[in-house]
Amino acid sequence: MSRFLKIMIVLLTIAAVATPVMAEDRLSLGGQMRVRGFYLDDGKDNNDNTATFVDQRLRIGGKLNVAEGVSITFRFDETEGKWGTRNANNENRQGVRFIESETGMQWDRAHLDLDFGTFQLRAGQAYFGAGLTTVIDTQDAGIQLVAGPVKGFFVLDSNNGGTNNSDNYLAGLVYSQKIENIKFEIIGGMEKQTETYYAKDESAADGDTPQSVAGKEVYLIGANVVASFDALTLSGEFDYFTGDAATDVDAMGTQLYVKADLATSETVHVGAQGFYALAADDDEVQISYLGNSFGDWKPLTQSGVSSMSGEVGSHYTHPFSQVFKNAGLIGLNVYSTVKVNDALAIGGAASYLMPEDDDMAPNDADSAIQLVVDSSYKLLTNAYLDATLQYTDVDDNTDNDAEIVAGMGLFVNF
């Protein structure tokens, strides 16, 4: 065998071994597998007001670094659904290889990122958000540009193409800056929806709630600030909405959020959150965020300890308009978290909420209280056992009792 041939064989062998290593270096993966169990008593006076169930989800996300300044990001959820879920043919599909219907694979992130140095471009299916209260909160297909302190994005929710209706879309512009220990943002946004469509392509005759409203055109301007002083962090946000909630229906929203968080020691945090939102008039609809609420902001039920908190029951996503609907909100939430040791952390939160205008509150509600206790215990490296207990009681003219949620889950992060 010639020396040249021997050298070529050695080089090819090195290349064959090195190629998988190079490919692996370009790809980074992460995610979570969870299995959770819940008990829910909704407190309603009927024959079926309790439920127990177990669900699971495998979430995998990754980033492919194609070249310097070029990357692709993806994320999907697999087997997400309750144990024993059946399809339209009444067949139990949880135990087979390919899961059908709503328990199948769901891709929520698939976007490219290009870094040109002076600005960064993102295009594809991604999450677009802004504000301490996620006042812009949507997951959809769109494009985003970031140049220094300015971020702008355009999200296309529905393309009506050759029809007479306009497209459904959301646009946002955010200016952010940090000066020593103070950070602030100025936010502008607009959401326009001219097409009414229904879940699972059902028609209005089927009685399904529309996911968008014809004639909606809402504008937002807001600002927030975060100031850090050693162990104390103070933050606040003010947001204002105007425009049309639907054809011939005005949109409104004036809301204020404040928060104080204090680390009393290396293992203990205490804090408080204040909420205020003006109520709508009879001919108005109160708006508290733009988008499809994918980020699921739940400040009343999440102390920051357990991944179980606020997942089931009255967790009041975006509470400004969800607790008392068009009646506005006046509320206070206090919380505390304690790291007992290297393995165990516990937390708790208590909220007292009132409508800003009693006359607009559903079921003549006067107030609501919510109590949450949760914990997280490290079983092994990256493996946790989380638990939560949630109590919600609304003072209104119904005969409903308090709602109780209890849950426990296993989580493995990777």
Side-chain angles (χ1 to χ4, degrees):
M1 184 180 295
S2 69
R3 180 177 299 179
F4 175 76
L5 184 57
K6 291 179 180 179
I7 294 174
M8 289 300 298
I9 291 175
V10 171
L11 291 176
L12 288 173
T13 303
I14 293 174
V17 173
T19 299
V21 176
M22 292 168 60
E24 184 178 349
D25 289 342
R26 294 169 56 190
L27 177 63
S28 59
L29 292 174
Q32 182 190 77
M33 176 70 188
R34 72 185 188 191
V35 177
R36 312 179 303 177
F38 288 98
Y39 167 82
L40 168 64
D41 184 344
D42 62 19
K44 296 179 180 178
D45 187 16
N46 55 48
N47 295 325
D48 188 21
N49 63 335
T50 63
T52 57
F53 62 90
V54 178
D55 66 11
Q56 71 176 63
R57 184 188 71 190
L58 172 60
R59 168 168 287 177
I60 299 175
K63 182 177 181 180
L64 180 62
N65 294 299
V66 179
E68 184 176 356
V70 181
S71 64
I72 296 173
T73 298
F74 64 89
R75 194 179 80 176
F76 65 89
D77 296 338
E78 182 56 276
T79 69
E80 182 174 11
K82 297 178 182 178
W83 285 8
T85 299
R86 296 176 179 271
N87 65 9
N89 297 322
N90 201 32
E91 298 171 339
N92 190 321
R93 306 299 294 175
Q94 191 70 48
V96 300
R97 180 167 297 183
F98 297 107
I99 307 301
E100 296 181 358
S101 187
E102 67 275 2
T103 57
M105 184 180 292
Q106 306 167 48
W107 290 83
D108 55 17
R109 305 281 164 85
H111 58 81
L112 60 86
D113 289 271
L114 305 177
D115 189 345
F116 294 92
T118 56
F119 69 95
Q120 295 78 45
L121 169 67
R122 172 170 295 175
Q125 187 168 305
Y127 176 76
F128 302 87
L132 303 178
T133 66
T134 57
V135 70
I136 297 179
D137 182 11
T138 197
Q139 167 80 27
D140 228 318
I143 188 167
Q144 174 178 286
L145 284 172
V146 177
V150 180
K151 176 176 70 175
F153 50 84
F154 176 86
V155 181
L156 185 61
D157 179 66
S158 177
N159 178 11
N160 294 309
T163 67
N164 293 326
N165 293 326
S166 300
D167 298 333
N168 295 349
Y169 58 85
L170 183 152
L173 187 65
V174 181
Y175 175 82
S176 58
Q177 195 61 263
K178 181 178 181 181
I179 303 174
E180 294 184 350
N181 62 324
I182 298 177
K183 297 186 296 183
F184 67 89
E185 283 184 332
I186 300 174
I187 304 168
M190 188 270 280
E191 183 176 13
K192 184 175 183 179
Q193 296 179 338
T194 58
E195 175 193 19
T196 302
Y197 60 96
Y198 296 83
K200 300 179 182 179
D201 296 325
E202 295 175 350
S203 66
D206 294 325
D208 208 353
T209 302
Q211 294 180 330
S212 67
V213 180
K216 181 178 181 180
E217 187 170 338
V218 180
Y219 297 88
L220 155 72
I221 185 169
N224 63 67
V225 61
V226 178
S228 301
F229 308 95
D230 295 326
L232 176 65
T233 301
L234 302 176
S235 54
E237 179 166 297
F238 174 81
D239 299 301
Y240 178 80
F241 298 85
T242 188
D244 298 320
T247 303
D248 300 326
V249 180
D250 291 336
M252 64 77 60
T254 301
Q255 59 197 39
L256 177 66
Y257 170 75
V258 293
K259 178 181 178 180
D261 184 273
L262 177 64
T264 59
S265 69
E266 293 183 355
T267 58
V268 179
H269 273 255
V270 296
Q273 299 168 298
F275 307 84
Y276 179 81
L278 286 176
D281 291 333
D282 291 334
D283 57 348
E284 296 176 327
V285 171
Q286 183 186 346
I287 305 293
S288 63
Y289 65 94
L290 304 181
N292 54 31
S293 189
F294 188 90
D296 216 19
W297 186 59
K298 296 171 287 194
L300 302 178
T301 51
Q302 292 183 324
S303 69
V305 169
S306 171
S307 298
M308 299 288 293
S309 300
E311 292 292 295
V312 173
S314 299
H315 49 261
Y316 297 134
T317 300
H318 293 282
F320 289 114
S321 61
Q322 297 302 310
V323 179
F324 301 111
K325 308 305 179 184
N326 283 334
L329 178 68
I330 301 173
L332 177 66
N333 172 260
V334 294
Y335 64 90
S336 178
T337 62
V338 179
K339 187 176 181 181
V340 179
N341 51 46
D342 290 339
L344 177 64
I346 59 175
S351 304
Y352 183 78
L353 313 166
M354 298 185 301
E356 195 271 334
D357 185 348
D358 294 344
D359 295 334
M360 292 293 293
N363 300 318
D364 295 326
D366 292 325
S367 62
I369 61 171
Q370 193 162 64
L371 306 175
V372 179
V373 178
D374 53 14
S375 65
S376 180
Y377 183 78
K378 184 177 180 180
L379 297 171
L380 297 167
T381 301
N382 293 343
Y384 300 87
L385 176 65
D386 287 8
T388 189
L389 181 62
Q390 177 180 312
Y391 175 93
T392 306
D393 191 14
V394 180
D395 183 8
D396 56 22
N397 60 14
T398 68
D399 295 327
N400 297 336
D401 295 327
E403 177 189 270
I404 298 175
V405 177
M408 184 174 292
L410 288 168
F411 297 81
V412 174
N413 302 320
F414 59 91

